[in-house]
Amino acid sequence: MSLTKPTLDNLRAAGTTVGDVYFPQTKLLLPFDGTNGATTTSDSSNSNHTITFAGNAQISTAQSKFGGSSLYFDGSGDYVSMPSSSVFAFGAADFTIECWVRRASGGGTYPYIFDFRVGGANA
């Protein structure tokens, strides 16, 4: 059996697709763009949240999924945080949390990807 490659010469755009129609609903967007070793990032959503790096959390250019950098944790007490915000009071409404995560090994001190608790680990 011989497989043929599909051609895309019959595709036609229908309607408009200017930008991301769901961007106005985006409450936090952290691309972690920056130079190697940087310890700050910006929230690219319209919410403009302040993000704080802790431990040895930093921007790394060694690996990335998009762009040329990503957030790097060495596995020993690193995390990023931000102040509480009412935009994350999801309630009973539909919501989406989306991210790319690459874990080298283990969970380290903070093995969580997301944590919505108030306060420390025992809160």
Side-chain angles (χ1 to χ4, degrees), residues 91-110:
D94 291 342
F95 65 92
T96 300
I97 296 175
E98 182 177 331
C99 66
W100 286 95
V101 176
R102 178 184 174 270
R103 293 180 73 165
S105 64
T109 305
Y110 298 97

